[in-house]
Amino acid sequence: MLESAAALVHEHADLEKQLADPEVFADQGLVRKLNKRYAALAPTVAAYHAWHAATDDLAAARELATEDAGFAAEVPSLEARLAETEEVLRRLLIPRDPDDDRDVILEVKAGEGGEESALFAGDLLRMYLRYAERRGWRTEVIDATESDLGGYKDVQVAVKAKGTPQPGEAPWARLKYEGGVHRVQRVPVTESQGRIHTSAAGVLVMPEAEDVEVTIDPNDLKIDVYRSSGPGGQSVNTTDSAVRITHLPTGVVVSCQNEKSQLQNKESAMRVLRARLHALAKEAADAEASAARRSQVRTVDRSERIRTYNFPENRISDHRTGYKSYNLDTVLDGDLEAVVQSAVDADEAAQMAAVADGAGQ
């Protein structure tokens, strides 16, 4: 642990020197990259210095304890402080997801349950939009297909942080655990007998990729245009503005119809396509990684049932972490932090256990 921490402290100092070089600022792309890495390392460097200071203080107190009872009395509290700083440092040294500082594209899709599932998909969308608002993130609906009763058959929304978020606070770092099947138990709006039904909606979360990060050969694309359908403005059903793009090598299909022009819809579809291809590459890399490096909380299985929303009991349950609370109404209003944090904590615990197992072998 000490060796890896010392290496990061050295890297942080080297980045500081590079950022002080005026010639570096000729390349703004490089400056952004260096600044992002410098900011990401700052908490680890601070934790390392705190641990080092606690180590020195404890060593000095123990050395002087034989001569002065006052120093002996300080030893227990200094030992506790050292253990605390070591735990903080250990957590910060957990291998980080390289996408943790990214924005995301989040998709909510109705599943089993017909119109009730579409209404629940709308509830989930509002939950994520309000959660983003609470965290000061910007949101943008990229494309949406509404249902007859005001729900969503499928909706895609971009979630972006403002400025440079602290490590672990960007949209992907918080929302990546939301992917999977969300199950709802309640009396549907469409049910007149008052019986509780179970339906589900799927959530897919993808880190947003830049143009230069995902290479797409135009020859690998099949682009179809068609008339928009469903609720919308004057252009709906009157012009071939909707766009469907098929990436032939992977079979990934993306369609967008929300914008008024074909060009705008094509740009939106390409944005989602880049994110999906980036996510596919990430999943392939995760599959090849060792079990010690894979998260035990978030899986690449999009069919995994991760959470149940029980309306009669006002209960929300996360099946991966064991989290359960009886404030479903406030969670759906965007108070999602405790639910998300349970996944973050479980993931960190699994990673720390894996690191400890590796060190013990």
Side-chain angles (χ1 to χ4, degrees), residues 15-16 52 55 58 68 79 81 95 106 127 173 181 201 208 226 233 244 250 272 279 307 312 314 317 341 359:
L15 288 169
E16 191 169 23
H52 208 285
T55 301
L58 178 59
D68 188 333
E79 287 176 337
R81 182 159 69 91
L106 183 147
M127 177 182 74
V181 175
E208 185 154 15
Y226 57 98
R244 181 187 300 109
T250 61
V272 175
R307 199 174 292 152
N314 199 33
S317 306
Q341 191 61 46

Side-chain angles (χ1 to χ4, degrees), residues 97-112:
D97 184 336
D99 287 333
D100 267 357
D101 60 351
R102 290 181 185 268
D103 298 322
V104 305
I105 291 178
L106 183 147
E107 181 174 0
V108 184
K109 195 177 186 69
E112 298 178 4

Side-chain angles (χ1 to χ4, degrees), residues 11-317:
E11 181 186 353
H12 188 263
D14 184 59
L15 288 169
E16 191 169 23
K17 290 179 182 178
Q18 292 185 61
L19 288 168
D21 184 355
E23 294 183 4
V24 170
F25 285 81
D27 185 344
Q28 288 300 308
L30 176 60
V31 170
R32 285 193 296 271
K33 180 179 178 182
L34 295 178
N35 268 319
K36 184 177 291 187
R37 179 61 175 167
Y38 184 79
L41 290 177
T44 304
V45 172
Y48 176 80
H49 289 318
W51 172 84
H52 208 285
T55 301
D56 291 344
D57 289 346
L58 178 59
R62 284 173 173 169
E63 183 179 341
L64 296 170
T66 56
E67 304 173 6
D68 188 333
F71 285 105
E74 290 184 17
V75 168
S77 63
L78 290 173
E79 287 176 337
R81 182 159 69 91
L82 177 60
E84 182 181 334
T85 57
E86 185 174 313
E87 177 67 13
V88 172
L89 181 58
R90 191 184 301 277
R91 283 182 173 274
L92 288 169
L93 289 175
I94 294 173
R96 295 292 166 183
D97 184 336
D99 287 333
D100 267 357
D101 60 351
R102 290 181 185 268
D103 298 322
V104 305
I105 291 178
L106 183 147
E107 181 174 0
V108 184
K109 195 177 186 69
E112 298 178 4
E115 190 64 50
E116 166 62 11
S117 176
L119 290 169
F120 178 52
D123 292 337
L124 291 177
L125 173 65
R126 285 187 289 274
M127 177 182 74
Y128 291 126
L129 292 178
R130 289 170 181 170
Y131 176 62
E133 183 180 0
R134 286 170 180 255
R135 293 193 65 88
W137 296 337
R138 298 191 307 272
T139 56
E140 171 197 355
V141 175
I142 297 175
D143 196 60
T145 303
E146 296 182 22
S147 68
D148 294 337
L149 296 183
Y152 288 94
K153 297 178 181 178
D154 191 5
V155 57
Q156 298 161 346
V157 57
V159 184
K160 292 181 172 291
K162 294 180 181 178
T164 303
Q166 291 295 313
E169 298 299 320
W172 173 256
R174 307 302 294 179
L175 292 174
K176 63 184 176 182
Y177 305 101
E178 293 301 301
V181 175
H182 296 240
R183 186 178 68 166
V184 61
Q185 296 172 325
R186 65 182 176 188
V187 177
V189 175
T190 54
E191 175 62 60
S192 60
Q193 300 300 317
R195 295 178 297 178
I196 297 173
H197 284 211
T198 297
S199 60
V203 175
L204 173 62
V205 188
M206 303 168 287
E208 185 154 15
E210 301 292 338
D211 296 19
V212 295
E213 294 176 314
V214 179
T215 301
I216 300 177
D217 186 341
N219 295 322
D220 289 338
L221 302 179
K222 178 187 177 186
I223 301 177
D224 300 306
V225 295
Y226 57 98
R227 293 189 177 183
S228 302
S229 60
Q234 295 180 349
S235 61
V236 173
N237 289 321
T238 60
T239 62
D240 292 335
S241 59
V243 173
R244 181 187 300 109
I245 300 178
T246 304
H247 186 247
L248 299 175
T250 61
V252 173
V253 179
V254 178
S255 59
C256 282
Q257 64 173 16
N258 267 28
E259 303 296 340
K260 293 182 179 180
S261 77
Q262 187 182 118
L263 178 60
Q264 289 174 314
N265 281 320
K266 181 180 177 182
E267 290 175 349
S268 294
M270 288 297 294
R271 185 174 169 186
V272 175
L273 178 61
R274 281 193 297 271
R276 287 192 177 174
L277 293 180
H278 179 83
L280 283 176
K282 182 178 178 64
E283 288 174 8
D286 286 345
E288 293 174 1
S290 66
R293 293 178 57 195
R294 260 201 317 268
S295 165
Q296 294 184 26
V297 177
R298 182 176 58 88
T299 76
V300 298
D301 181 6
R302 296 172 189 167
S303 64
E304 178 190 15
R305 190 187 72 189
I306 67 167
R307 199 174 292 152
T308 294
Y309 303 72
N310 185 300
F311 276 70
E313 298 180 17
N314 199 33
R315 184 185 76 238
I316 182 166
S317 306

